[in-house]
Amino acid sequence: MMHWLCVLVQTPAHASLGSVLSYQYPTLLAPGTLVRVPLGKRETLGVVWDADAAGATGEVDPGKVKQIASVLEGIAPLSAHWQQLLGFAAQYYQRSVGEVTLAALPPQLREMSAVQVQRRLKRTAPTPPPDGETALANAPTLTAEQAQALDQIQAHAGPCLLFGATGSGKTEVYLQCVQTLLERGPHAQALVMVPEINLTPQLEQRFRERFAPRYGAASVVSLHSGMTNPQRLKNWLAAHHGTARIVLGTRMAVFASMPGLQLIVVDEEHDPSYKSGEGARYSARDLAVYRGRLENAKVVLGSATPSLESWHHSRPVEEGGRYLRLHMPGRVGQTDKLPLVRRVDMNHQPRNAVFSIPLLEAIRERIARGEQCMVFLNRRGYATVLHCGDCGWKSECPHCSAFRVFHKIDRTLRCHHCGFTERVPRACPACGNPDIAPLGRGTERLEEHLAELLSDVRRPNSITTECPNGEPVRIARIDADTTRLKGTLESQLAAVHSGDVDVLVGTQMIAKGHDFRRITLVAAVNPDGALFSSDFRAPERLFGLLLQAAGRAGRDASLGDNAEMWVQTFQPAHPLYAALKGHDYPTFAQQQLQERAQASLPPFSAQALVRAEAKTQEIAHGFLEAARNAAASEMAHWDGWADIVAQVTVYPPIPMGIQRIANIERAQMLVESASRNALQQFLSGWQSVLHTARQSPAGKGVIRWAVDVDPLAI
Ligand code: ADP
Ligand code: ZN
Ligand code: ZN
């Protein structure tokens, strides 16, 4: 007898073919079983989702149904919880469950036959853990603040928001949470997430040092997109089969199959990289919270500058809060010395000065003392644009509505959006004027300028003697341009750590996470832009970034006394900088949340964006407008839908901030509701409307469209 089974396969996002297909097999396979199935002319990886009632009752034409080709023996079926997590993610983020599920599995699994999988599994037979009696490597005694936070985390169901200053010892709290967990049971597993691949090696080392001696080297694995496919498969299998007790990873790790999952840590939970920018645009932080509830695993979100969403969720229970807020204001090993924040009023500095006189003086002093400085500018390249003073020509990208950036090092004009690169013209392409000049400033130009300003400074011979006749100052730059090659970031960071660098110039890449011991001065040279951005989240991001950057200063307790954060600004009285001066995230958050409440912005409302790409703005607009009109004219008349449609506002389509990239026009439309539930229901119904609009004349010429639920950039 043949059994009918529903199998998930990967189909394109908006394909007419559903992603759940019917197959037959001689035995009944458990839901979650991995299989190979024929699809068209190929064979592909599939996941048995459940028994197929429709097929069994004869609704599917038996003549057309194919058989499952093979079962990936040796890989235990994915759990019901895992299926539920993926089902939820697909539904919430408006994608097909097949797409989301198959994307959550290691890529290599998709290419392997059942036989190859067998062979692989034999090769990676689990190594038994070493003697469980070995002591854990030197765990420090917790500070009073840490101990209290840990107690509270243990005592409460969670989710917990660990609001701790940079250097307050959050990671140590995570480590000890994990430790208690591992001691509790031989199958317990923990998932620890960090926003960036760059941060995983540091973290992995700390976890490995702590836990490998007792639980074995195989007990800690990483999962991120920077690893090779075989590595990723190996680690995924270790998590799935429970040999890995601790999984460290970036946002994709939220989908790791972990049968013993009991704890999820989301470090730097405010970081935008937890939100995926393609495919299903999921938030790994939000899914972690959902997953914690689903699997009864404790969730700990940690940050020195929490997202305003999480901050709001952690308000007192009496006011409706759902997370437990835990505060660790002090830095470990120091008497509460946070870096002094200095604002330099650029209105009183020489016009066009890039470095104010007092900042430059302060940098010189640090160098003389053998300390390091970090200068931070959120724009890479040399100049933002090349400009002709005679005719007004600017280095626009011919394919995008953006300027190409001047990179002096290879004398190119590079578009940061489509990648279009050309050599710098000798003269103005419009009028022939040979005198074309860079306008604006990126990190490359900043580095050059700083080298000129400091050309007379000599570094001390050693960090203990203040000898002025040593070598010239060493300035290094770290940004996306200097770290393109594999391994370059590591070597550049090593140079900073070893003291070979006096001043480090860079983008936000250097502001996050790195533990630079000898940096005592951090400067943001031109951060004002975000104060006037049209993106309502820009101030939140700026505050987070500046406070993170400040946290880079004075990590070494012996140097912490004179750690300083400098901000050059034309708006010295701005409340954001005032709050920064006091390292006062709560006041900043309160101001921002008040503004958001008044404007009904998230977290006081729920949003989604529909984006469309086409050859012309008219086409993209036409498609979005058709879907918008249909909501009012059709959906509102569906049986029982009037109330849901009434709770949702669909705003008219507008061109996106950068409206053309690589000759493709982009438009978007905002959908908003005071009720997340209403928005979710609306979107689920609207999907079919969007599909219909895409098939109608209004959708002709639309290249792509996608829904982004809880978008981060509006
Ligand atoms: P955070 O994650 O909050 O930035 P970390 O956990 O990295 O802070 O701690 C900052 C530094 O303090 C690290 O070098 C860490 O090893 C050290 N540290 C943390 N907790 C303690 C403790 N209880 N005793 C001694 N050193 C500690
Ligand atoms: Zn010109
Ligand atoms: Zn371009």
PDB file of all heavy atoms in Angstrom, residues 388-393 428-433 436, ligand 2:
ATOM      1  N   CYS A 388      32.500  69.697 -10.791  1.00  0.00           N
ATOM      2  CA  CYS A 388      33.136  70.720 -11.624  1.00  0.00           C
ATOM      3  C   CYS A 388      32.565  72.089 -11.248  1.00  0.00           C
ATOM      4  O   CYS A 388      31.355  72.308 -11.340  1.00  0.00           O
ATOM      5  CB  CYS A 388      32.876  70.434 -13.111  1.00  0.00           C
ATOM      6  SG  CYS A 388      33.293  71.822 -14.183  1.00  0.00           S
ATOM      7  N   GLY A 389      33.445  72.970 -10.811  1.00  0.00           N
ATOM      8  CA  GLY A 389      33.007  74.298 -10.363  1.00  0.00           C
ATOM      9  C   GLY A 389      32.530  75.178 -11.506  1.00  0.00           C
ATOM     10  O   GLY A 389      31.756  76.111 -11.305  1.00  0.00           O
ATOM     11  N   ASP A 390      32.966  74.870 -12.724  1.00  0.00           N
ATOM     12  CA  ASP A 390      32.586  75.710 -13.865  1.00  0.00           C
ATOM     13  C   ASP A 390      31.161  75.451 -14.334  1.00  0.00           C
ATOM     14  O   ASP A 390      30.358  76.364 -14.480  1.00  0.00           O
ATOM     15  CB  ASP A 390      33.542  75.465 -15.047  1.00  0.00           C
ATOM     16  CG  ASP A 390      34.828  76.274 -14.882  1.00  0.00           C
ATOM     17  OD1 ASP A 390      34.934  76.945 -13.824  1.00  0.00           O
ATOM     18  OD2 ASP A 390      35.683  76.219 -15.775  1.00  0.00           O
ATOM     19  N   CYS A 391      30.862  74.179 -14.595  1.00  0.00           N
ATOM     20  CA  CYS A 391      29.556  73.892 -15.204  1.00  0.00           C
ATOM     21  C   CYS A 391      28.600  73.183 -14.244  1.00  0.00           C
ATOM     22  O   CYS A 391      27.430  72.981 -14.551  1.00  0.00           O
ATOM     23  CB  CYS A 391      29.715  73.065 -16.476  1.00  0.00           C
ATOM     24  SG  CYS A 391      30.098  71.340 -16.168  1.00  0.00           S
ATOM     25  N   GLY A 392      29.108  72.790 -13.081  1.00  0.00           N
ATOM     26  CA  GLY A 392      28.207  72.163 -12.114  1.00  0.00           C
ATOM     27  C   GLY A 392      28.078  70.653 -12.274  1.00  0.00           C
ATOM     28  O   GLY A 392      27.306  70.008 -11.572  1.00  0.00           O
ATOM     29  N   TRP A 393      28.866  70.046 -13.199  1.00  0.00           N
ATOM     30  CA  TRP A 393      28.834  68.589 -13.376  1.00  0.00           C
ATOM     31  C   TRP A 393      29.152  67.887 -12.054  1.00  0.00           C
ATOM     32  O   TRP A 393      29.990  68.356 -11.282  1.00  0.00           O
ATOM     33  CB  TRP A 393      29.848  68.183 -14.447  1.00  0.00           C
ATOM     34  CG  TRP A 393      30.026  66.691 -14.593  1.00  0.00           C
ATOM     35  CD1 TRP A 393      29.272  65.858 -15.345  1.00  0.00           C
ATOM     36  CD2 TRP A 393      31.019  65.871 -13.950  1.00  0.00           C
ATOM     37  NE1 TRP A 393      29.721  64.564 -15.205  1.00  0.00           N
ATOM     38  CE2 TRP A 393      30.790  64.544 -14.358  1.00  0.00           C
ATOM     39  CE3 TRP A 393      32.066  66.136 -13.046  1.00  0.00           C
ATOM     40  CZ2 TRP A 393      31.579  63.471 -13.917  1.00  0.00           C
ATOM     41  CZ3 TRP A 393      32.852  65.070 -12.608  1.00  0.00           C
ATOM     42  CH2 TRP A 393      32.600  63.750 -13.035  1.00  0.00           C
ATOM     43  N   CYS A 428      36.572  67.589 -16.795  1.00  0.00           N
ATOM     44  CA  CYS A 428      35.123  67.502 -16.677  1.00  0.00           C
ATOM     45  C   CYS A 428      34.533  66.939 -17.972  1.00  0.00           C
ATOM     46  O   CYS A 428      34.767  67.488 -19.048  1.00  0.00           O
ATOM     47  CB  CYS A 428      34.537  68.877 -16.391  1.00  0.00           C
ATOM     48  SG  CYS A 428      32.740  68.897 -16.515  1.00  0.00           S
ATOM     49  N   PRO A 429      33.795  65.843 -17.894  1.00  0.00           N
ATOM     50  CA  PRO A 429      33.240  65.238 -19.107  1.00  0.00           C
ATOM     51  C   PRO A 429      32.244  66.164 -19.801  1.00  0.00           C
ATOM     52  O   PRO A 429      31.983  66.006 -20.994  1.00  0.00           O
ATOM     53  CB  PRO A 429      32.526  63.980 -18.608  1.00  0.00           C
ATOM     54  CG  PRO A 429      32.899  63.823 -17.185  1.00  0.00           C
ATOM     55  CD  PRO A 429      33.404  65.131 -16.683  1.00  0.00           C
ATOM     56  N   ALA A 430      31.704  67.149 -19.076  1.00  0.00           N
ATOM     57  CA  ALA A 430      30.691  68.018 -19.672  1.00  0.00           C
ATOM     58  C   ALA A 430      31.304  69.229 -20.359  1.00  0.00           C
ATOM     59  O   ALA A 430      30.882  69.611 -21.446  1.00  0.00           O
ATOM     60  CB  ALA A 430      29.690  68.459 -18.603  1.00  0.00           C
ATOM     61  N   CYS A 431      32.319  69.868 -19.721  1.00  0.00           N
ATOM     62  CA  CYS A 431      32.813  71.126 -20.282  1.00  0.00           C
ATOM     63  C   CYS A 431      34.315  71.123 -20.516  1.00  0.00           C
ATOM     64  O   CYS A 431      34.870  72.088 -21.028  1.00  0.00           O
ATOM     65  CB  CYS A 431      32.416  72.305 -19.395  1.00  0.00           C
ATOM     66  SG  CYS A 431      33.379  72.410 -17.877  1.00  0.00           S
ATOM     67  N   GLY A 432      35.017  70.076 -20.126  1.00  0.00           N
ATOM     68  CA  GLY A 432      36.441  70.012 -20.399  1.00  0.00           C
ATOM     69  C   GLY A 432      37.325  70.697 -19.369  1.00  0.00           C
ATOM     70  O   GLY A 432      38.548  70.655 -19.470  1.00  0.00           O
ATOM     71  N   ASN A 433      36.730  71.311 -18.377  1.00  0.00           N
ATOM     72  CA  ASN A 433      37.509  71.958 -17.322  1.00  0.00           C
ATOM     73  C   ASN A 433      38.396  70.917 -16.625  1.00  0.00           C
ATOM     74  O   ASN A 433      37.905  69.927 -16.094  1.00  0.00           O
ATOM     75  CB  ASN A 433      36.496  72.596 -16.340  1.00  0.00           C
ATOM     76  CG  ASN A 433      37.175  73.084 -15.058  1.00  0.00           C
ATOM     77  OD1 ASN A 433      38.382  73.284 -15.027  1.00  0.00           O
ATOM     78  ND2 ASN A 433      36.371  73.257 -14.027  1.00  0.00           N
ATOM     79  N   ILE A 436      38.591  69.490 -11.773  1.00  0.00           N
ATOM     80  CA  ILE A 436      37.438  68.956 -11.057  1.00  0.00           C
ATOM     81  C   ILE A 436      37.871  68.551  -9.650  1.00  0.00           C
ATOM     82  O   ILE A 436      38.952  68.006  -9.455  1.00  0.00           O
ATOM     83  CB  ILE A 436      36.763  67.773 -11.795  1.00  0.00           C
ATOM     84  CG1 ILE A 436      37.815  66.806 -12.350  1.00  0.00           C
ATOM     85  CG2 ILE A 436      35.854  68.274 -12.901  1.00  0.00           C
ATOM     86  CD1 ILE A 436      37.202  65.603 -13.017  1.00  0.00           C
TER      87      ILE A 436
HETATM   88 ZN    ZN B   2      32.367  71.146 -16.185  1.00  0.00          ZN
END
